[in-house]
Amino acid sequence: MQRSGPVDGTPAEAEVFTTVLTSGPIARADIARLTGLSSAAVTRVAKLLIDEGYLEYAPGEPAASDETRMGRPSSPLRVHADQTGSFGVIVRRDELIGMVCDLAGGPRVAERRPLTDNRVEPAVAAVAAFYRDLAASAQRLGFVDPPAHLGLSLSGDIDHDTGYVRYSPFLGWRDVDLGAAVSRAVAAPVVVENDVKALTVAEQWFGLGRGITNFAVVTIGTGIGCAIVVDGGLVRGAHSVAGEIGHLPLGDPAVQCHCGAHGCVEAEASTKALLDRCRAATGRDDLTIGAAVELARAGDDGVRAIFSRAGQVIGLALASVANLLGPERVIVAGEGVSSYDLFETAIREAFAEQAFGAAHQVPIHVRDLPFEEWARGAAAVAIQELVFPSRQRVANDMRRRTGVRRG
Ligand SMILES: [Zn+2]
């Protein structure tokens, strides 16, 4: 059945813009087919987005399907990339990675700079200075409207709707009104998102999540993170904490996690947990994670066993995601994939043992994504905020209040 107007509270503008962005150039008839919106609704919304400068007609031949389905020829649509853009910055413990993207999410400028003092106030000042430099670079790119929106991502328990950081363990931040502080410092709209969720938006728009409606991204490294897309929508959950598989109790219940709970995946499989164990096993307090990886690859049985145990716990976490959500694929990313060879066998064995029924068949894709791709995700979140700002919030609030689900 074709629908017109908002789809279960999701604005049609968001559906049309995102479809053109991920599948364009695309004919309006094909947008209607992919979104389930009526042809009339697509035409109305496309006109609105063209008038706002966000979409444009692609040069070239009229799309055949538009001729047949709508009775008149029209060019396919694409995102007007040069209309404007956005900034994405990921805040890591000791580094800021920033990107300027055009409206289609195309990377235009990428930069890194050290974060020498990661306490809240100096970090906000460093982000603001970085933003001003990125904005100066963006000025030279010839956008119709200079980009202003900033997407900021960091690990931890982040309330996307308010920009409030409840807890970011690797920065040591608790209860920080980050969105408001950065927004004041840069005098521009700022949206804050959990780093894995932002990366997942980039995967959905440009990566292995393109064209599929159910998938999960699991990150291994400093933390064990996860974000989930169900029926085409990023699942944030009631308090924006959906997907925290790092704190599923699948590990040794005797081991306490930094979060205070016991048996968390992260307490055995994060980089720090691995390093602590490798140091204890070798008696070398100065061991680095790189040296531990080398020892394991050189055949040190004790160190290999520690990586293998971490792989087992990660495999159980992946199986939990597969059993709970039945994704079409699971994408594994994060800096830990550089030593994936040390986890792989244990991950596969634990996954095969614990995945139930058809969940066995869920393919696991390992992706070595640089942090620029994470920053691109933050820029993508800022594009969402730019193109469908409060409407998205209203939809989220409505869904939360009424428990309405899509699909
Ligand atoms: Zn925990």
Side-chain angles (χ1 to χ4, degrees), residues 248-258 260-265 267-268 277 309 313:
L248 289 181
L250 302 171
D252 181 350
V255 179
Q256 190 173 24
C257 179
H258 61 79
H262 287 80
C264 293
V265 173
E268 285 196 69
R277 289 171 168 225
R309 166 64 187 162
V313 180

Side-chain angles (χ1 to χ4, degrees), residues 263-343:
C264 293
V265 173
E266 204 158 285
E268 285 196 69
S270 72
T271 303
K272 185 180 181 304
L274 276 167
L275 188 56
D276 285 349
R277 289 171 168 225
C278 291
R279 283 176 175 172
T282 57
R284 286 173 50 184
D285 288 344
D286 61 343
L287 194 72
T288 62
I289 191 69
V293 167
E294 278 174 31
L295 277 178
R297 285 186 182 144
D300 183 310
D301 285 339
V303 174
R304 284 189 77 83
I306 292 164
F307 278 90
S308 185
R309 166 64 187 162
Q312 188 186 13
V313 180
I314 293 167
L316 293 177
L318 294 180
S320 303
V321 171
N323 289 352
L324 206 55
L325 298 158
E328 287 163 64
R329 62 178 55 151
V330 174
I331 300 159
V332 179
E335 67 272 32
V337 303
S338 64
S339 45
Y340 196 76
D341 54 309
L342 299 174
F343 303 115

